[in-house]
Amino acid sequence: MISTDDIFLLAEGDKAAFETAALELFRFQAEACPPYREYLDRIGVRREAVASLRQIPFLPIELFKSHKVYCCAEPPEAVFTSSATTGMIPSRHPMRSLTLYEQAFRGAFRAFYGDPSRWSLYALLPNYLRRKGSSLVYMADRLIADCGSGGFYLDDYDALLRDMARDPKPKILLGVSYALWDLAERYAPKLNNTIVMETGGMKGYREEIPKEEFHRILCDAFGVEAIHSEYGMAELTSQAYSQGGNRFRCPAWMRAVCRDVNDPFEGLPAGQRGGLNIIDLANRWSCAFIQTQDVGHVDTDGSFVVEGRVDHAEIRGCNLLVQ
């Protein structure tokens, strides 16, 4: 099986090498990951019959809430959990190696933003900081250290704006959506030499509005031309980034594909709207093939747009294992 180091050496656009690595990882996880193995059995897919990337089934992301999606005999170094509103069950993602996770997020950041030391990273992640097990907080903490400047801010917007104004370096303001909206409404600060990057929905704190409208509100308030976005989740090891327009691009070891929301086993061609599936080869010790609950489309160049969420009534795959 392809080594961990080789995963991060995959060349951008090398489809043949990506498919070879994905098939090798599929054959391993189809045997070694119990929930994935059981899921394949229930949908009638034999591991040895899968001969191409398009034949690999994707595990419904809901199973991270009800099953231990893990395929290593040794205990994980950490267990990352998803944020969950009251009454919801969080997902749990056992992370065998924090070094692997750090390789993934550092590699993705460098691919899209270059050397972290040229940036200051300011993190406005209040709901994530108030709980344990956030992979986003872990990532931001290490990237802040790599940058050498910046920091976490809970609700102290005055200190955040004061520190950013004094900082001569190019800056990234990484914030959960509702906190950025709150900052925009209360202060409308015009930010200089700063990238504003949002990382997720309103988490039940604010109303959900179309992404284009939300980004326009932030652009007007902060005086920036575009809003960047980070696409990540507890169930993934890697992140995709949008540098404007809600169009995400993946690092070389990650890929998005589209499926029919009414038939999760039917793939869709480029440009058609459907459910988003993610292949994350850095999910080496869990499952690399994830059927998400996001809706969007994937273009011919591999970039993808997130348009919303799949209605729970339309998700057919997950009930095969959820008891």
Side-chain angles (χ1 to χ4, degrees):
M1 185 171 64
I2 186 170
S3 71
T4 300
D5 289 340
D6 287 342
I7 286 174
F8 299 115
L9 294 177
L10 288 172
E12 185 71 36
D14 191 339
K15 296 181 179 179
F18 185 94
E19 178 159 359
T20 297
L23 284 169
E24 288 181 2
L25 191 54
F26 164 75
R27 294 184 184 110
F28 167 69
Q29 292 180 341
E31 180 61 33
C33 179
Y36 193 39
R37 183 176 66 239
E38 183 182 354
Y39 181 67
L40 295 175
D41 288 343
R42 295 203 180 192
I43 63 176
V45 172
R46 294 181 296 110
R47 178 182 58 171
E48 61 274 13
V50 174
S52 67
L53 192 64
R54 67 174 60 186
Q55 294 177 308
I56 296 177
F58 289 81
L59 185 73
I61 200 167
E62 284 288 290
L63 295 179
F64 280 83
K65 296 182 178 182
S66 56
H67 292 68
K68 184 178 181 180
V69 184
Y70 191 57
C71 52
C72 184
E74 298 182 17
E77 291 186 0
V79 177
F80 290 132
T81 58
S82 65
S83 57
T85 56
T86 303
M88 292 179 59
I89 300 172
S91 294
R92 294 173 59 83
H93 186 187
M95 189 62 58
R96 169 65 190 90
S97 167
L98 289 172
T99 297
L100 173 60
Y101 182 49
E102 292 177 14
Q103 282 181 281
F105 68 66
R106 286 189 170 110
F109 186 91
R110 285 179 174 274
F112 296 105
Y113 295 98
D115 187 345
S117 66
R118 68 178 290 262
W119 296 96
S120 295
L121 179 62
Y122 292 84
L124 188 58
L125 307 169
N127 61 315
Y128 291 92
L129 287 172
R130 291 187 177 106
R131 67 177 182 85
K132 295 181 179 180
S134 169
S135 58
L136 178 60
V137 168
Y138 186 95
M139 178 182 78
D141 180 67
R142 271 50 179 187
L143 287 178
I144 289 169
D146 293 346
C147 292
S149 50
F152 286 100
Y153 294 79
L154 195 57
D155 298 315
D156 193 347
Y157 296 157
D158 290 316
L160 169 67
L161 295 175
R162 181 191 65 236
D163 292 347
M164 290 181 66
R166 293 173 176 173
D167 190 342
K169 291 174 65 178
K171 292 167 281 291
I172 295 175
L173 174 59
L174 173 68
V176 65
S177 298
Y178 82 86
L180 290 174
W181 195 353
D182 190 39
L183 178 66
E185 280 189 342
R186 293 172 57 183
Y187 291 81
K190 297 303 182 278
L191 302 176
N192 296 318
N193 204 17
T194 300
I195 286 174
V196 179
M197 181 185 296
E198 56 98 359
T199 178
M202 300 303 170
K203 310 298 182 186
Y205 291 89
R206 300 288 297 255
E207 64 176 307
E208 295 282 353
I209 62 174
K211 188 74 73 172
E212 182 178 350
E213 179 183 350
F214 175 58
H215 283 189
R216 186 168 59 250
I217 290 171
L218 296 187
C219 284
D220 290 344
F222 297 138
V224 297
E225 293 184 0
I227 301 299
H228 292 217
S229 302
E230 181 260 354
Y231 183 88
M233 56 188 72
E235 300 88 351
L236 298 178
T237 303
S238 303
Q239 304 78 33
Y241 287 96
S242 166
Q243 295 177 309
N246 196 36
R247 180 171 298 280
F248 292 90
R249 289 176 170 80
C250 298
W253 58 90
M254 180 184 183
R255 182 178 297 182
V257 295
C258 217
R259 69 180 188 275
D260 188 324
V261 293
N262 295 308
D263 182 356
F265 309 113
E266 180 67 28
L268 294 178
Q272 285 197 20
R273 184 179 188 272
L276 293 174
N277 293 339
I278 300 293
I279 304 171
D280 181 4
L281 299 184
N283 265 22
R284 184 182 182 89
W285 303 111
S286 53
C287 183
F289 313 97
I290 305 298
Q291 180 191 119
T292 80
Q293 295 177 358
D294 293 322
V295 170
H297 65 269
V298 181
D299 288 334
T300 53
D301 64 356
S303 65
F304 66 98
V305 173
V306 181
E307 300 174 11
R309 302 278 285 176
V310 178
D311 188 290
H312 277 270
E314 296 177 310
I315 301 173
R316 293 174 45 199
C318 64
N319 60 12
L320 291 171
L321 280 184
V322 177
Q323 303 297 325

